[in-house]
Amino acid sequence: MINITLPDGSIRQYPKGTSSMEIATSISEGLARNVLSASVNGEVWDASRPIFSDASVKLFTWNDKEGKATYWHSSAHLMAEALEALYPGTKFGIGPAIDTGFYYDVDTGDKTLTPADLPKIEEKMLELAKNKSQYIRKEVSKDDAIRFFTEKKDEYKIELLQDLQDGQITFYSQGNFTDLCKGPHIPDTSSIKAVKLMNLAGAYWRGDEKRKQMTRIYAVTFPKAKELTEYLELLEEAKKRDHRKLGAELELFMFSEKVGQGLPIWLPKGTQLRERLQNFLRAEQEKQGYQMVVTPHIGSKSLYETSGHYAKYGADSFQPIHTPKEGEEFLLKPMNCPHHCEIYGHRPRSYRELPLRIGEFGTVYRYEQSGELHGLSRVRGFTQDDAHIFCTVDQVKGEFLKVLELTTMVIKKMGFENFTAQISLRDPDNPEKYIGSDENWNAAEKAIIEATSEVDLITTTELGEAAFYGPKLDFMIKDALGRSWQLGTIQVDYNLPERFGLEYIGADNQPHRPVMIHRAPFGSMERFISILIEHTAGKFPLWLTPDQYALLPISDKWIPYCEEIKQELAKHDIRGFIDERAESIGRKIRDTELKRVPYMLIIGDKEAENQSVSVRRQGEGDLGTMSVSEFVAHFTEKLSEV
RNA sequence: GCCAGUGUAGCUCAGUUGGCCAGAGCAGCUGAUUUGUAAUCAGCGGGUCGGGGGUUCGAAUCCCUCCACUGGCUCCA
């Protein structure tokens, strides 16, 4: 007998060789029906795999992340089976589960898959799923495995096998399909009830752009048809909120082929929004002792040679521009930090000046590959809400915590409730990607890890995600549709001060090297606004929205009264406009609703007579009639709510 | 940059296997209407069918090429 510890701490005894599925059955039939996989001593296993020694077991169903991952990975195998049936000779790369669904990288030889082929594959998958084929695990020797795929002429799998150790190789089969796979898998195909192949994309074999490009098929499956429908509805909603669409409809920004791709042009309403965000942050930063600066859009190439940016990114950047007579070289500013280092270094600094906090809404230009550009979220010219804090080693932690506080305050003020932070450290296997000494890196990484551990913040740690000059703390927020986005960043940097030879004279009258903290709570105004648009579906917080109200006169004879109200509201810093068109009130309301103006003030005979306004809230409807001062009170209350 | 796809009026789209002056709705303009909580009516203007080249008696439609956009990949200071 073996002892099985369950998540609730209870220990049950089972015969040697009992599977997780059998354990589930012993608990309840219903549970057994839903089990997809199980963790055995922390490792995710097939539910059918026998357990031979004492273990702690956790059963996974569709409600667990691990259960979904198993389900989708098994679905990838089912898709591969369908592809092999429809397109014999198809070769397979890798087919993992992802956050939502799974993909499989395939090489269909001469046959190019098109979106029109996808329904056929879906149908085949559903047909095969009905066979209730079991996923069967088999341990194989490396030689046998290589022989199998050599016969199948699948060079991708053979390459994957080269990196695997003999004795640790397993195959999984279901129906007529066998794949190299370490598993685990769901019991059988019958739980795969709804299938949707989402899209086709090119993907380099092993992520290497020098190697062959395979076809990646993205897909998702569900145990219930209804869940697929709900998922597709969510995608529809995301499409409706797409910032590129809303940005055009609400006249926030535009792009022009003539100006150039990836170069956003801010229209008046978008500019209002952006400047309100900047003013808000500027005010908060000034409270905390930041000083604003303005630096030029170009900088001498030597500036970036000093910083190391040129060596790292020069070849893949916009190329230097030259002065016509002298032939001097200048780069479009890709970063503000070198300029700020020069500000720090332009005269001797005393320890009494530190921390010195230099802020700038600095517009930078970076060459991004054409296929990378995406609306406002990935552009070639953007404005960072940048600042650099120069401080002593002893001040690093305190300053870091203050920045952390500022950043979380900003995120919350923007209406994002869910956020986490990612600690991005060096990749220990690729030291050549980074500048600076190990001592500097260790100190910087330690500072971030220590400071974040002192605050109430959910963090994850990623190796290899650091900037080339220092580790980062990146903020990840979840939007209203549950999607994750990376926002602002805080970076601790011991290296640039060294490269720029920055110093301060300490209390001991000796020169010391300052530490630099790079930080941007929004990240970039462009990217942040793209996220804000999608999060709010264009219904911005009241304090931020370009027009807070629209006055809608029922006939043009009430325009003068509207003017009066407008002036009164302006006294309370409430901004809006009068819809003076000779349109029906129904039309005016509809248009204003679509423009996401939060308040509509409808003015006709009754209102003019009683010196009142009829108030309608966007998306909610009629709030009734009130006096102008009552509206101001209502508005002011709502304003303070966010 | 790479793979796949898309590009017809400001927007959303129609345009049969290549064939009469390329269509619709919305938006715009003009006029009428003076309206009570999500579209008043009528008239008018608007397109070198993404650009260029080619095949053809004839191209929005077929081919080549360039550009932009979309979904991914790679990249992201």
Side-chain angles (χ1 to χ4, degrees), chain A residues 262 264 266 274-275 278 281-282 292 297 333-334 336 360-366 376 379-387 520-529:
Chain A
W266 289 84
R274 180 184 149 121
E275 298 208 325
Q278 291 184 351
L281 184 59
R282 197 190 320 260
M292 298 306 285
H297 285 232
K333 177 167 75 174
N336 301 302
E360 174 174 15
F361 289 99
T363 303
V364 297
Y365 299 90
R366 296 178 185 174
L376 285 186
V379 289
R380 286 177 171 171
F382 59 97
T383 301
Q384 296 177 311
D385 55 328
D386 211 356
F522 290 135
S524 92
M525 300 314 294
E526 284 73 10
R527 185 177 160 74
F528 179 77
I529 290 172

Side-chain angles (χ1 to χ4, degrees), chain A residues 193-194 222-233:
Chain A
K193 297 271 172 57
F222 292 95
K224 289 183 190 144
K226 189 168 159 246
E227 287 173 293
L228 174 60
T229 314
E230 282 167 4
Y231 176 64
L232 295 176
E233 278 165 5

Side-chain angles (χ1 to χ4, degrees), chain A residues 363-636:
Chain A
T363 303
V364 297
Y365 299 90
R366 296 178 185 174
Y367 168 75
E368 304 285 358
Q369 300 187 93
S370 61
E372 269 317 319
L373 301 169
H374 179 91
L376 285 186
S377 31
R378 191 82 184 264
V379 289
R380 286 177 171 171
F382 59 97
T383 301
Q384 296 177 311
D385 55 328
D386 211 356
H388 296 93
I389 300 168
F390 299 89
C391 62
T392 69
V393 172
D394 292 342
Q395 290 167 337
V396 170
K397 197 200 250 175
E399 284 303 303
F400 191 90
L401 287 169
K402 277 174 93 167
V403 171
L404 211 53
E405 197 185 326
L406 174 74
T407 308
T408 51
M409 185 276 288
V410 168
I411 293 173
K412 284 182 184 160
K413 173 81 178 176
M414 296 301 141
F416 295 105
E417 302 297 334
N418 278 315
F419 61 93
T420 58
Q422 174 182 304
I423 301 172
S424 302
L425 306 177
R426 270 172 304 180
D427 178 355
D429 299 331
N430 284 301
E432 73 285 356
K433 280 167 66 182
Y434 309 99
I435 58 167
S437 66
D438 275 353
E439 293 75 49
N440 283 354
W441 273 89
N442 290 338
E445 292 186 346
K446 188 160 163 266
I448 291 190
I449 293 165
E450 275 187 15
T452 44
S453 70
E454 283 182 22
V455 293
D456 184 21
L457 187 67
I458 303 164
T459 56
T460 57
T461 302
E462 292 290 334
L463 297 179
E465 295 292 310
F468 75 91
Y469 50 72
K472 304 192 283 181
L473 186 72
D474 292 322
F475 286 82
M476 324 290 288
I477 58 106
K478 255 196 181 165
D479 74 6
L481 297 185
R483 300 169 301 175
S484 284
W485 305 98
Q486 188 192 315
L487 277 192
T489 177
I490 313 175
Q491 305 167 5
V492 177
D493 179 7
Y494 283 69
N495 291 317
L496 287 191
E498 201 165 289
R499 297 184 72 105
F500 277 88
L502 303 182
E503 290 180 343
Y504 65 89
I505 302 301
D508 57 1
N509 199 28
Q510 295 298 311
H512 297 274
R513 183 127 290 158
V515 183
M516 209 174 156
I517 298 175
H518 309 239
R519 38 106 292 167
F522 290 135
S524 92
M525 300 314 294
E526 284 73 10
R527 185 177 160 74
F528 179 77
I529 290 172
S530 77
I531 295 167
L532 190 64
I533 292 171
E534 304 198 358
H535 178 62
T536 60
K539 299 173 195 173
F540 301 112
L542 206 45
W543 64 277
L544 199 54
T545 196
D547 289 304
Q548 295 168 320
Y549 69 84
L551 276 159
L552 311 181
I554 282 175
S555 97
D556 55 12
K557 67 182 164 184
W558 305 122
I559 289 175
Y561 177 54
C562 286
E563 297 279 6
E564 269 176 49
I565 298 170
K566 189 177 167 191
Q567 279 180 23
E568 182 58 29
L569 293 175
K571 284 184 198 158
H572 297 90
D573 289 324
I574 304 174
R575 55 185 179 271
F577 64 94
I578 304 169
D579 187 344
E580 297 187 7
R581 297 174 302 162
E583 288 291 350
S584 69
I585 193 66
R587 162 52 77 84
K588 289 181 185 180
I589 287 168
R590 178 183 155 80
D591 290 349
T592 316
E593 285 279 348
L594 291 175
K595 277 192 264 182
R596 277 100 165 154
V597 176
Y599 284 99
M600 281 151 269
L601 304 177
I602 294 146
I603 306 299
D605 288 350
K606 282 179 282 180
E607 289 75 15
E609 217 168 279
N610 311 325
Q611 295 286 297
S612 62
V613 291
S614 181
V615 181
R616 183 188 163 97
R617 180 78 208 233
Q618 197 274 351
E620 290 173 26
D622 197 354
L623 299 186
T625 304
M626 51 184 96
S627 70
V628 175
S629 60
E630 279 169 335
F631 173 68
V632 170
H634 166 90
F635 185 91
T636 310

